[in-house]
PDB file of all heavy atoms in Angstrom:
ATOM      1  N   ILE Q  30     -14.727 -44.616  85.146  1.00  0.00           N
ATOM      2  CA  ILE Q  30     -16.108 -44.895  85.525  1.00  0.00           C
ATOM      3  C   ILE Q  30     -16.359 -44.392  86.934  1.00  0.00           C
ATOM      4  O   ILE Q  30     -15.469 -44.390  87.793  1.00  0.00           O
ATOM      5  CB  ILE Q  30     -16.449 -46.396  85.435  1.00  0.00           C
ATOM      6  CG1 ILE Q  30     -15.571 -47.222  86.394  1.00  0.00           C
ATOM      7  CG2 ILE Q  30     -16.301 -46.906  84.016  1.00  0.00           C
ATOM      8  CD1 ILE Q  30     -15.995 -48.680  86.507  1.00  0.00           C
ATOM      9  N   GLY Q  31     -17.563 -43.919  87.166  1.00  0.00           N
ATOM     10  CA  GLY Q  31     -17.964 -43.460  88.487  1.00  0.00           C
ATOM     11  C   GLY Q  31     -19.356 -43.948  88.798  1.00  0.00           C
ATOM     12  O   GLY Q  31     -20.150 -44.217  87.900  1.00  0.00           O
ATOM     13  N   GLY Q  32     -19.660 -44.063  90.068  1.00  0.00           N
ATOM     14  CA  GLY Q  32     -20.992 -44.516  90.447  1.00  0.00           C
ATOM     15  C   GLY Q  32     -21.074 -44.819  91.911  1.00  0.00           C
ATOM     16  O   GLY Q  32     -20.578 -44.061  92.752  1.00  0.00           O
ATOM     17  N   GLN Q  33     -21.681 -45.971  92.221  1.00  0.00           N
ATOM     18  CA  GLN Q  33     -21.878 -46.394  93.597  1.00  0.00           C
ATOM     19  C   GLN Q  33     -21.477 -47.865  93.674  1.00  0.00           C
ATOM     20  O   GLN Q  33     -22.291 -48.765  93.535  1.00  0.00           O
ATOM     21  CB  GLN Q  33     -23.340 -46.186  94.002  1.00  0.00           C
ATOM     22  CG  GLN Q  33     -23.590 -46.252  95.485  1.00  0.00           C
ATOM     23  CD  GLN Q  33     -24.985 -45.791  95.847  1.00  0.00           C
ATOM     24  OE1 GLN Q  33     -25.859 -45.662  95.005  1.00  0.00           O
ATOM     25  NE2 GLN Q  33     -25.223 -45.535  97.119  1.00  0.00           N
ATOM     26  N   PHE Q  34     -20.191 -48.091  93.848  1.00  0.00           N
ATOM     27  CA  PHE Q  34     -19.659 -49.450  93.930  1.00  0.00           C
ATOM     28  C   PHE Q  34     -18.467 -49.459  94.877  1.00  0.00           C
ATOM     29  O   PHE Q  34     -17.913 -48.412  95.222  1.00  0.00           O
ATOM     30  CB  PHE Q  34     -19.265 -49.982  92.550  1.00  0.00           C
ATOM     31  CG  PHE Q  34     -18.369 -49.079  91.754  1.00  0.00           C
ATOM     32  CD1 PHE Q  34     -16.993 -49.103  91.923  1.00  0.00           C
ATOM     33  CD2 PHE Q  34     -18.893 -48.199  90.809  1.00  0.00           C
ATOM     34  CE1 PHE Q  34     -16.151 -48.282  91.184  1.00  0.00           C
ATOM     35  CE2 PHE Q  34     -18.064 -47.377  90.059  1.00  0.00           C
ATOM     36  CZ  PHE Q  34     -16.687 -47.415  90.252  1.00  0.00           C
ATOM     37  N   GLU Q  35     -18.070 -50.652  95.289  1.00  0.00           N
ATOM     38  CA  GLU Q  35     -16.964 -50.777  96.234  1.00  0.00           C
ATOM     39  C   GLU Q  35     -15.685 -51.275  95.586  1.00  0.00           C
ATOM     40  O   GLU Q  35     -14.601 -50.808  95.913  1.00  0.00           O
ATOM     41  CB  GLU Q  35     -17.345 -51.740  97.377  1.00  0.00           C
ATOM     42  CG  GLU Q  35     -18.403 -51.208  98.312  1.00  0.00           C
ATOM     43  CD  GLU Q  35     -18.665 -52.153  99.468  1.00  0.00           C
ATOM     44  OE1 GLU Q  35     -18.049 -53.247  99.501  1.00  0.00           O
ATOM     45  OE2 GLU Q  35     -19.501 -51.810 100.324  1.00  0.00           O
ATOM     46  N   ARG Q  36     -15.802 -52.236  94.683  1.00  0.00           N
ATOM     47  CA  ARG Q  36     -14.619 -52.897  94.158  1.00  0.00           C
ATOM     48  C   ARG Q  36     -14.710 -53.105  92.652  1.00  0.00           C
ATOM     49  O   ARG Q  36     -15.804 -53.175  92.090  1.00  0.00           O
ATOM     50  CB  ARG Q  36     -14.424 -54.267  94.836  1.00  0.00           C
ATOM     51  CG  ARG Q  36     -14.261 -54.173  96.338  1.00  0.00           C
ATOM     52  CD  ARG Q  36     -14.224 -55.547  96.991  1.00  0.00           C
ATOM     53  NE  ARG Q  36     -14.256 -55.415  98.443  1.00  0.00           N
ATOM     54  CZ  ARG Q  36     -13.175 -55.259  99.191  1.00  0.00           C
ATOM     55  NH1 ARG Q  36     -11.977 -55.240  98.624  1.00  0.00           N
ATOM     56  NH2 ARG Q  36     -13.279 -55.121 100.493  1.00  0.00           N
ATOM     57  N   VAL Q  37     -13.566 -53.208  92.033  1.00  0.00           N
ATOM     58  CA  VAL Q  37     -13.448 -53.611  90.642  1.00  0.00           C
ATOM     59  C   VAL Q  37     -12.509 -54.805  90.605  1.00  0.00           C
ATOM     60  O   VAL Q  37     -11.356 -54.714  91.047  1.00  0.00           O
ATOM     61  CB  VAL Q  37     -12.903 -52.468  89.757  1.00  0.00           C
ATOM     62  CG1 VAL Q  37     -12.604 -52.989  88.360  1.00  0.00           C
ATOM     63  CG2 VAL Q  37     -13.901 -51.323  89.684  1.00  0.00           C
ATOM     64  N   ASN Q  38     -13.038 -55.920  90.123  1.00  0.00           N
ATOM     65  CA  ASN Q  38     -12.242 -57.157  90.080  1.00  0.00           C
ATOM     66  C   ASN Q  38     -11.568 -57.454  91.413  1.00  0.00           C
ATOM     67  O   ASN Q  38     -10.408 -57.854  91.480  1.00  0.00           O
ATOM     68  CB  ASN Q  38     -11.191 -57.080  88.968  1.00  0.00           C
ATOM     69  CG  ASN Q  38     -11.817 -57.073  87.589  1.00  0.00           C
ATOM     70  OD1 ASN Q  38     -12.997 -57.361  87.452  1.00  0.00           O
ATOM     71  ND2 ASN Q  38     -11.041 -56.736  86.587  1.00  0.00           N
ATOM     72  N   GLY Q  39     -12.319 -57.207  92.499  1.00  0.00           N
ATOM     73  CA  GLY Q  39     -11.823 -57.538  93.822  1.00  0.00           C
ATOM     74  C   GLY Q  39     -11.000 -56.471  94.495  1.00  0.00           C
ATOM     75  O   GLY Q  39     -10.684 -56.584  95.688  1.00  0.00           O
ATOM     76  N   THR Q  40     -10.630 -55.413  93.780  1.00  0.00           N
ATOM     77  CA  THR Q  40      -9.800 -54.347  94.346  1.00  0.00           C
ATOM     78  C   THR Q  40     -10.684 -53.209  94.864  1.00  0.00           C
ATOM     79  O   THR Q  40     -11.547 -52.711  94.144  1.00  0.00           O
ATOM     80  CB  THR Q  40      -8.820 -53.798  93.293  1.00  0.00           C
ATOM     81  OG1 THR Q  40      -7.977 -54.860  92.842  1.00  0.00           O
ATOM     82  CG2 THR Q  40      -7.958 -52.684  93.880  1.00  0.00           C
ATOM     83  N   LEU Q  41     -10.435 -52.787  96.097  1.00  0.00           N
ATOM     84  CA  LEU Q  41     -11.204 -51.693  96.684  1.00  0.00           C
ATOM     85  C   LEU Q  41     -10.914 -50.395  95.953  1.00  0.00           C
ATOM     86  O   LEU Q  41      -9.759 -49.991  95.797  1.00  0.00           O
ATOM     87  CB  LEU Q  41     -10.842 -51.542  98.165  1.00  0.00           C
ATOM     88  CG  LEU Q  41     -11.630 -50.465  98.939  1.00  0.00           C
ATOM     89  CD1 LEU Q  41     -13.076 -50.883  99.087  1.00  0.00           C
ATOM     90  CD2 LEU Q  41     -10.991 -50.231 100.307  1.00  0.00           C
ATOM     91  N   CYS Q  42     -11.946 -49.716  95.485  1.00  0.00           N
ATOM     92  CA  CYS Q  42     -11.810 -48.399  94.817  1.00  0.00           C
ATOM     93  C   CYS Q  42     -13.176 -47.737  94.832  1.00  0.00           C
ATOM     94  O   CYS Q  42     -13.788 -47.567  93.792  1.00  0.00           O
ATOM     95  CB  CYS Q  42     -11.266 -48.541  93.400  1.00  0.00           C
ATOM     96  SG  CYS Q  42     -12.143 -49.722  92.383  1.00  0.00           S
ATOM     97  N   ASN Q  43     -13.621 -47.372  96.013  1.00  0.00           N
ATOM     98  CA  ASN Q  43     -14.993 -46.924  96.202  1.00  0.00           C
ATOM     99  C   ASN Q  43     -15.421 -45.862  95.195  1.00  0.00           C
ATOM    100  O   ASN Q  43     -14.916 -44.743  95.194  1.00  0.00           O
ATOM    101  CB  ASN Q  43     -15.170 -46.372  97.622  1.00  0.00           C
ATOM    102  CG  ASN Q  43     -15.225 -47.475  98.662  1.00  0.00           C
ATOM    103  OD1 ASN Q  43     -15.944 -48.445  98.495  1.00  0.00           O
ATOM    104  ND2 ASN Q  43     -14.440 -47.324  99.718  1.00  0.00           N
ATOM    105  N   ASN Q  44     -16.377 -46.244  94.343  1.00  0.00           N
ATOM    106  CA  ASN Q  44     -17.148 -45.323  93.497  1.00  0.00           C
ATOM    107  C   ASN Q  44     -16.396 -44.721  92.321  1.00  0.00           C
ATOM    108  O   ASN Q  44     -17.000 -43.970  91.542  1.00  0.00           O
ATOM    109  CB  ASN Q  44     -17.735 -44.189  94.347  1.00  0.00           C
ATOM    110  CG  ASN Q  44     -18.489 -44.713  95.550  1.00  0.00           C
ATOM    111  OD1 ASN Q  44     -19.266 -45.653  95.434  1.00  0.00           O
ATOM    112  ND2 ASN Q  44     -18.231 -44.142  96.719  1.00  0.00           N
ATOM    113  N   LEU Q  45     -15.081 -45.019  92.154  1.00  0.00           N
ATOM    114  CA  LEU Q  45     -14.319 -44.386  91.085  1.00  0.00           C
ATOM    115  C   LEU Q  45     -13.179 -45.300  90.657  1.00  0.00           C
ATOM    116  O   LEU Q  45     -12.472 -45.862  91.499  1.00  0.00           O
ATOM    117  CB  LEU Q  45     -13.750 -43.047  91.568  1.00  0.00           C
ATOM    118  CG  LEU Q  45     -12.973 -42.196  90.562  1.00  0.00           C
ATOM    119  CD1 LEU Q  45     -13.890 -41.714  89.448  1.00  0.00           C
ATOM    120  CD2 LEU Q  45     -12.316 -41.012  91.270  1.00  0.00           C
ATOM    121  N   ALA Q  46     -13.008 -45.444  89.340  1.00  0.00           N
ATOM    122  CA  ALA Q  46     -11.915 -46.284  88.846  1.00  0.00           C
ATOM    123  C   ALA Q  46     -11.610 -45.913  87.402  1.00  0.00           C
ATOM    124  O   ALA Q  46     -12.430 -45.289  86.711  1.00  0.00           O
ATOM    125  CB  ALA Q  46     -12.288 -47.765  88.931  1.00  0.00           C
ATOM    126  N   ARG Q  47     -10.416 -46.300  86.956  1.00  0.00           N
ATOM    127  CA  ARG Q  47     -10.092 -46.191  85.527  1.00  0.00           C
ATOM    128  C   ARG Q  47      -9.808 -47.594  85.019  1.00  0.00           C
ATOM    129  O   ARG Q  47      -9.097 -48.377  85.662  1.00  0.00           O
ATOM    130  CB  ARG Q  47      -8.892 -45.269  85.306  1.00  0.00           C
ATOM    131  CG  ARG Q  47      -8.658 -44.931  83.825  1.00  0.00           C
ATOM    132  CD  ARG Q  47      -7.615 -43.823  83.654  1.00  0.00           C
ATOM    133  NE  ARG Q  47      -6.298 -44.262  84.077  1.00  0.00           N
ATOM    134  CZ  ARG Q  47      -5.289 -43.430  84.334  1.00  0.00           C
ATOM    135  NH1 ARG Q  47      -5.459 -42.124  84.244  1.00  0.00           N
ATOM    136  NH2 ARG Q  47      -4.109 -43.901  84.724  1.00  0.00           N
ATOM    137  N   LEU Q  48     -10.378 -47.891  83.858  1.00  0.00           N
ATOM    138  CA  LEU Q  48     -10.236 -49.208  83.255  1.00  0.00           C
ATOM    139  C   LEU Q  48      -9.350 -49.132  82.029  1.00  0.00           C
ATOM    140  O   LEU Q  48      -9.369 -48.144  81.293  1.00  0.00           O
ATOM    141  CB  LEU Q  48     -11.604 -49.762  82.850  1.00  0.00           C
ATOM    142  CG  LEU Q  48     -12.700 -49.761  83.912  1.00  0.00           C
ATOM    143  CD1 LEU Q  48     -13.961 -50.384  83.347  1.00  0.00           C
ATOM    144  CD2 LEU Q  48     -12.256 -50.484  85.166  1.00  0.00           C
ATOM    145  N   ASN Q  49      -8.584 -50.179  81.803  1.00  0.00           N
ATOM    146  CA  ASN Q  49      -7.830 -50.306  80.565  1.00  0.00           C
ATOM    147  C   ASN Q  49      -8.782 -50.596  79.414  1.00  0.00           C
ATOM    148  O   ASN Q  49      -9.974 -50.869  79.615  1.00  0.00           O
ATOM    149  CB  ASN Q  49      -6.796 -51.426  80.691  1.00  0.00           C
ATOM    150  CG  ASN Q  49      -5.736 -51.119  81.733  1.00  0.00           C
ATOM    151  OD1 ASN Q  49      -5.146 -50.044  81.711  1.00  0.00           O
ATOM    152  ND2 ASN Q  49      -5.498 -52.054  82.647  1.00  0.00           N
ATOM    153  N   ALA Q  50      -8.262 -50.557  78.207  1.00  0.00           N
ATOM    154  CA  ALA Q  50      -9.099 -50.777  77.028  1.00  0.00           C
ATOM    155  C   ALA Q  50      -9.760 -52.147  77.037  1.00  0.00           C
ATOM    156  O   ALA Q  50     -10.824 -52.336  76.431  1.00  0.00           O
ATOM    157  CB  ALA Q  50      -8.268 -50.595  75.757  1.00  0.00           C
ATOM    158  N   ASP Q  51      -9.149 -53.120  77.726  1.00  0.00           N
ATOM    159  CA  ASP Q  51      -9.734 -54.461  77.783  1.00  0.00           C
ATOM    160  C   ASP Q  51     -10.675 -54.637  78.966  1.00  0.00           C
ATOM    161  O   ASP Q  51     -11.173 -55.732  79.216  1.00  0.00           O
ATOM    162  CB  ASP Q  51      -8.641 -55.529  77.821  1.00  0.00           C
ATOM    163  CG  ASP Q  51      -7.772 -55.440  79.076  1.00  0.00           C
ATOM    164  OD1 ASP Q  51      -7.970 -54.497  79.874  1.00  0.00           O
ATOM    165  OD2 ASP Q  51      -6.895 -56.304  79.244  1.00  0.00           O
ATOM    166  N   GLY Q  52     -10.914 -53.569  79.739  1.00  0.00           N
ATOM    167  CA  GLY Q  52     -11.844 -53.633  80.850  1.00  0.00           C
ATOM    168  C   GLY Q  52     -11.224 -53.979  82.178  1.00  0.00           C
ATOM    169  O   GLY Q  52     -11.899 -53.922  83.204  1.00  0.00           O
ATOM    170  N   THR Q  53      -9.944 -54.344  82.193  1.00  0.00           N
ATOM    171  CA  THR Q  53      -9.282 -54.622  83.463  1.00  0.00           C
ATOM    172  C   THR Q  53      -9.020 -53.321  84.213  1.00  0.00           C
ATOM    173  O   THR Q  53      -8.963 -52.238  83.621  1.00  0.00           O
ATOM    174  CB  THR Q  53      -7.951 -55.366  83.248  1.00  0.00           C
ATOM    175  OG1 THR Q  53      -7.115 -54.576  82.383  1.00  0.00           O
ATOM    176  CG2 THR Q  53      -8.193 -56.728  82.606  1.00  0.00           C
ATOM    177  N   LEU Q  54      -8.843 -53.432  85.507  1.00  0.00           N
ATOM    178  CA  LEU Q  54      -8.584 -52.264  86.327  1.00  0.00           C
ATOM    179  C   LEU Q  54      -7.210 -51.688  86.003  1.00  0.00           C
ATOM    180  O   LEU Q  54      -6.210 -52.408  85.961  1.00  0.00           O
ATOM    181  CB  LEU Q  54      -8.646 -52.650  87.808  1.00  0.00           C
ATOM    182  CG  LEU Q  54      -8.411 -51.524  88.813  1.00  0.00           C
ATOM    183  CD1 LEU Q  54      -9.538 -50.507  88.737  1.00  0.00           C
ATOM    184  CD2 LEU Q  54      -8.306 -52.098  90.234  1.00  0.00           C
ATOM    185  N   ASP Q  55      -7.155 -50.381  85.776  1.00  0.00           N
ATOM    186  CA  ASP Q  55      -5.893 -49.685  85.534  1.00  0.00           C
ATOM    187  C   ASP Q  55      -5.303 -49.318  86.898  1.00  0.00           C
ATOM    188  O   ASP Q  55      -5.700 -48.346  87.528  1.00  0.00           O
ATOM    189  CB  ASP Q  55      -6.148 -48.438  84.690  1.00  0.00           C
ATOM    190  CG  ASP Q  55      -4.874 -47.653  84.415  1.00  0.00           C
ATOM    191  OD1 ASP Q  55      -3.798 -48.090  84.867  1.00  0.00           O
ATOM    192  OD2 ASP Q  55      -4.959 -46.602  83.758  1.00  0.00           O
ATOM    193  N   THR Q  56      -4.338 -50.107  87.343  1.00  0.00           N
ATOM    194  CA  THR Q  56      -3.782 -49.915  88.683  1.00  0.00           C
ATOM    195  C   THR Q  56      -2.857 -48.704  88.774  1.00  0.00           C
ATOM    196  O   THR Q  56      -2.465 -48.310  89.872  1.00  0.00           O
ATOM    197  CB  THR Q  56      -3.017 -51.168  89.123  1.00  0.00           C
ATOM    198  OG1 THR Q  56      -2.019 -51.480  88.142  1.00  0.00           O
ATOM    199  CG2 THR Q  56      -3.967 -52.355  89.265  1.00  0.00           C
ATOM    200  N   SER Q  57      -2.527 -48.079  87.615  1.00  0.00           N
ATOM    201  CA  SER Q  57      -1.715 -46.863  87.666  1.00  0.00           C
ATOM    202  C   SER Q  57      -2.541 -45.647  88.070  1.00  0.00           C
ATOM    203  O   SER Q  57      -1.992 -44.582  88.326  1.00  0.00           O
ATOM    204  CB  SER Q  57      -1.049 -46.611  86.309  1.00  0.00           C
ATOM    205  OG  SER Q  57      -2.010 -46.272  85.324  1.00  0.00           O
ATOM    206  N   PHE Q  58      -3.859 -45.812  88.119  1.00  0.00           N
ATOM    207  CA  PHE Q  58      -4.770 -44.763  88.588  1.00  0.00           C
ATOM    208  C   PHE Q  58      -5.273 -45.215  89.955  1.00  0.00           C
ATOM    209  O   PHE Q  58      -6.223 -45.987  90.059  1.00  0.00           O
ATOM    210  CB  PHE Q  58      -5.920 -44.589  87.598  1.00  0.00           C
ATOM    211  CG  PHE Q  58      -6.879 -43.470  87.929  1.00  0.00           C
ATOM    212  CD1 PHE Q  58      -6.573 -42.152  87.633  1.00  0.00           C
ATOM    213  CD2 PHE Q  58      -8.106 -43.746  88.518  1.00  0.00           C
ATOM    214  CE1 PHE Q  58      -7.465 -41.127  87.921  1.00  0.00           C
ATOM    215  CE2 PHE Q  58      -9.004 -42.723  88.807  1.00  0.00           C
ATOM    216  CZ  PHE Q  58      -8.675 -41.416  88.507  1.00  0.00           C
ATOM    217  N   SER Q  59      -4.624 -44.758  91.005  1.00  0.00           N
ATOM    218  CA  SER Q  59      -4.917 -45.249  92.347  1.00  0.00           C
ATOM    219  C   SER Q  59      -5.776 -44.248  93.100  1.00  0.00           C
ATOM    220  O   SER Q  59      -5.362 -43.109  93.339  1.00  0.00           O
ATOM    221  CB  SER Q  59      -3.613 -45.496  93.121  1.00  0.00           C
ATOM    222  OG  SER Q  59      -3.891 -45.901  94.436  1.00  0.00           O
ATOM    223  N   VAL Q  60      -6.982 -44.682  93.478  1.00  0.00           N
ATOM    224  CA  VAL Q  60      -7.901 -43.797  94.204  1.00  0.00           C
ATOM    225  C   VAL Q  60      -7.879 -44.066  95.698  1.00  0.00           C
ATOM    226  O   VAL Q  60      -8.645 -43.430  96.442  1.00  0.00           O
ATOM    227  CB  VAL Q  60      -9.344 -43.942  93.665  1.00  0.00           C
ATOM    228  CG1 VAL Q  60      -9.397 -43.638  92.191  1.00  0.00           C
ATOM    229  CG2 VAL Q  60      -9.911 -45.336  93.952  1.00  0.00           C
ATOM    230  N   GLY Q  61      -7.030 -44.969  96.160  1.00  0.00           N
ATOM    231  CA  GLY Q  61      -7.010 -45.289  97.582  1.00  0.00           C
ATOM    232  C   GLY Q  61      -8.339 -45.849  98.030  1.00  0.00           C
ATOM    233  O   GLY Q  61      -8.853 -46.796  97.431  1.00  0.00           O
ATOM    234  N   THR Q  62      -8.940 -45.258  99.049  1.00  0.00           N
ATOM    235  CA  THR Q  62     -10.263 -45.695  99.499  1.00  0.00           C
ATOM    236  C   THR Q  62     -11.387 -45.027  98.710  1.00  0.00           C
ATOM    237  O   THR Q  62     -12.560 -45.252  98.994  1.00  0.00           O
ATOM    238  CB  THR Q  62     -10.444 -45.393 100.989  1.00  0.00           C
ATOM    239  OG1 THR Q  62     -10.227 -43.995 101.215  1.00  0.00           O
ATOM    240  CG2 THR Q  62      -9.471 -46.195 101.823  1.00  0.00           C
ATOM    241  N   GLY Q  63     -11.034 -44.197  97.719  1.00  0.00           N
ATOM    242  CA  GLY Q  63     -12.039 -43.585  96.865  1.00  0.00           C
ATOM    243  C   GLY Q  63     -12.875 -42.534  97.562  1.00  0.00           C
ATOM    244  O   GLY Q  63     -12.430 -41.892  98.522  1.00  0.00           O
ATOM    245  N   THR Q  64     -14.109 -42.353  97.098  1.00  0.00           N
ATOM    246  CA  THR Q  64     -15.020 -41.371  97.688  1.00  0.00           C
ATOM    247  C   THR Q  64     -15.925 -42.062  98.704  1.00  0.00           C
ATOM    248  O   THR Q  64     -16.178 -43.264  98.613  1.00  0.00           O
ATOM    249  CB  THR Q  64     -15.883 -40.691  96.611  1.00  0.00           C
ATOM    250  OG1 THR Q  64     -16.679 -41.683  95.945  1.00  0.00           O
ATOM    251  CG2 THR Q  64     -15.011 -39.980  95.587  1.00  0.00           C
ATOM    252  N   ASN Q  65     -16.462 -41.278  99.638  1.00  0.00           N
ATOM    253  CA  ASN Q  65     -17.303 -41.867 100.679  1.00  0.00           C
ATOM    254  C   ASN Q  65     -18.772 -41.905 100.301  1.00  0.00           C
ATOM    255  O   ASN Q  65     -19.613 -42.308 101.100  1.00  0.00           O
ATOM    256  CB  ASN Q  65     -17.135 -41.107 101.998  1.00  0.00           C
ATOM    257  CG  ASN Q  65     -17.665 -39.685 101.921  1.00  0.00           C
ATOM    258  OD1 ASN Q  65     -17.599 -39.046 100.870  1.00  0.00           O
ATOM    259  ND2 ASN Q  65     -18.187 -39.178 103.031  1.00  0.00           N
ATOM    260  N   ASN Q  66     -19.103 -41.485  99.082  1.00  0.00           N
ATOM    261  CA  ASN Q  66     -20.458 -41.628  98.564  1.00  0.00           C
ATOM    262  C   ASN Q  66     -20.381 -41.560  97.043  1.00  0.00           C
ATOM    263  O   ASN Q  66     -19.305 -41.448  96.477  1.00  0.00           O
ATOM    264  CB  ASN Q  66     -21.390 -40.554  99.142  1.00  0.00           C
ATOM    265  CG  ASN Q  66     -22.789 -41.103  99.407  1.00  0.00           C
ATOM    266  OD1 ASN Q  66     -23.306 -41.905  98.625  1.00  0.00           O
ATOM    267  ND2 ASN Q  66     -23.407 -40.692 100.499  1.00  0.00           N
ATOM    268  N   TRP Q  67     -21.526 -41.598  96.398  1.00  0.00           N
ATOM    269  CA  TRP Q  67     -21.523 -41.865  94.962  1.00  0.00           C
ATOM    270  C   TRP Q  67     -20.949 -40.733  94.118  1.00  0.00           C
ATOM    271  O   TRP Q  67     -20.954 -39.566  94.483  1.00  0.00           O
ATOM    272  CB  TRP Q  67     -22.915 -42.229  94.474  1.00  0.00           C
ATOM    273  CG  TRP Q  67     -23.913 -41.108  94.393  1.00  0.00           C
ATOM    274  CD1 TRP Q  67     -23.981 -40.133  93.450  1.00  0.00           C
ATOM    275  CD2 TRP Q  67     -25.030 -40.889  95.264  1.00  0.00           C
ATOM    276  NE1 TRP Q  67     -25.058 -39.303  93.678  1.00  0.00           N
ATOM    277  CE2 TRP Q  67     -25.717 -39.747  94.772  1.00  0.00           C
ATOM    278  CE3 TRP Q  67     -25.523 -41.540  96.391  1.00  0.00           C
ATOM    279  CZ2 TRP Q  67     -26.867 -39.263  95.399  1.00  0.00           C
ATOM    280  CZ3 TRP Q  67     -26.661 -41.048  97.004  1.00  0.00           C
ATOM    281  CH2 TRP Q  67     -27.315 -39.924  96.506  1.00  0.00           C
ATOM    282  N   VAL Q  68     -20.464 -41.115  92.940  1.00  0.00           N
ATOM    283  CA  VAL Q  68     -19.980 -40.212  91.894  1.00  0.00           C
ATOM    284  C   VAL Q  68     -21.039 -40.164  90.796  1.00  0.00           C
ATOM    285  O   VAL Q  68     -21.502 -41.202  90.331  1.00  0.00           O
ATOM    286  CB  VAL Q  68     -18.633 -40.702  91.318  1.00  0.00           C
ATOM    287  CG1 VAL Q  68     -18.260 -39.919  90.063  1.00  0.00           C
ATOM    288  CG2 VAL Q  68     -17.537 -40.588  92.363  1.00  0.00           C
ATOM    289  N   SER Q  69     -21.427 -38.962  90.394  1.00  0.00           N
ATOM    290  CA  SER Q  69     -22.497 -38.825  89.400  1.00  0.00           C
ATOM    291  C   SER Q  69     -22.046 -38.186  88.102  1.00  0.00           C
ATOM    292  O   SER Q  69     -22.771 -38.243  87.105  1.00  0.00           O
ATOM    293  CB  SER Q  69     -23.657 -38.008  89.982  1.00  0.00           C
ATOM    294  OG  SER Q  69     -23.205 -36.766  90.466  1.00  0.00           O
ATOM    295  N   SER Q  70     -20.865 -37.556  88.071  1.00  0.00           N
ATOM    296  CA  SER Q  70     -20.439 -36.866  86.853  1.00  0.00           C
ATOM    297  C   SER Q  70     -18.926 -36.897  86.740  1.00  0.00           C
ATOM    298  O   SER Q  70     -18.216 -36.771  87.742  1.00  0.00           O
ATOM    299  CB  SER Q  70     -20.933 -35.416  86.861  1.00  0.00           C
ATOM    300  OG  SER Q  70     -20.669 -34.778  85.628  1.00  0.00           O
ATOM    301  N   LEU Q  71     -18.441 -37.058  85.511  1.00  0.00           N
ATOM    302  CA  LEU Q  71     -17.008 -37.132  85.237  1.00  0.00           C
ATOM    303  C   LEU Q  71     -16.672 -36.336  83.982  1.00  0.00           C
ATOM    304  O   LEU Q  71     -17.439 -36.349  83.011  1.00  0.00           O
ATOM    305  CB  LEU Q  71     -16.571 -38.579  84.997  1.00  0.00           C
ATOM    306  CG  LEU Q  71     -16.687 -39.567  86.150  1.00  0.00           C
ATOM    307  CD1 LEU Q  71     -16.530 -40.990  85.631  1.00  0.00           C
ATOM    308  CD2 LEU Q  71     -15.628 -39.274  87.208  1.00  0.00           C
ATOM    309  N   VAL Q  72     -15.530 -35.666  83.999  1.00  0.00           N
ATOM    310  CA  VAL Q  72     -14.976 -35.037  82.796  1.00  0.00           C
ATOM    311  C   VAL Q  72     -13.482 -35.351  82.781  1.00  0.00           C
ATOM    312  O   VAL Q  72     -12.777 -35.080  83.757  1.00  0.00           O
ATOM    313  CB  VAL Q  72     -15.181 -33.509  82.787  1.00  0.00           C
ATOM    314  CG1 VAL Q  72     -14.422 -32.885  81.614  1.00  0.00           C
ATOM    315  CG2 VAL Q  72     -16.662 -33.163  82.682  1.00  0.00           C
ATOM    316  N   VAL Q  73     -13.010 -35.943  81.684  1.00  0.00           N
ATOM    317  CA  VAL Q  73     -11.586 -36.210  81.529  1.00  0.00           C
ATOM    318  C   VAL Q  73     -10.977 -35.108  80.676  1.00  0.00           C
ATOM    319  O   VAL Q  73     -11.426 -34.858  79.547  1.00  0.00           O
ATOM    320  CB  VAL Q  73     -11.335 -37.587  80.893  1.00  0.00           C
ATOM    321  CG1 VAL Q  73      -9.841 -37.815  80.679  1.00  0.00           C
ATOM    322  CG2 VAL Q  73     -11.901 -38.688  81.785  1.00  0.00           C
TER     323      VAL Q  73
END
C-alpha cells in the first residue's frame, strides 16, 4: 500500500508498507523512514 500516512499499527513507515494477508504489517519489508512525501502509484 502507498499513500500519505505515517504509521501502520503504530510502526513508522512513512507512506509505504506491505501487509500480510490478514492485514498486519509485514515486518520483513522494511522501509525505514519511508518516503518524505506521498506515494501515488505502485507496481509489484
Side-chain angles (χ1 to χ4, degrees):
I30 62 171
Q33 195 169 14
F34 51 85
E35 291 184 357
R36 301 174 188 273
V37 172
N38 293 347
T40 300
L41 183 69
C42 51
N43 285 312
N44 309 315
L45 183 66
R47 190 170 66 196
L48 309 182
N49 295 309
D51 63 356
T53 57
L54 181 66
D55 179 1
T56 55
S57 68
F58 184 80
S59 177
V60 302
T62 56
T64 61
N65 66 327
N66 217 322
W67 73 76
V68 169
S69 55
S70 187
L71 295 166
V72 172
V73 177

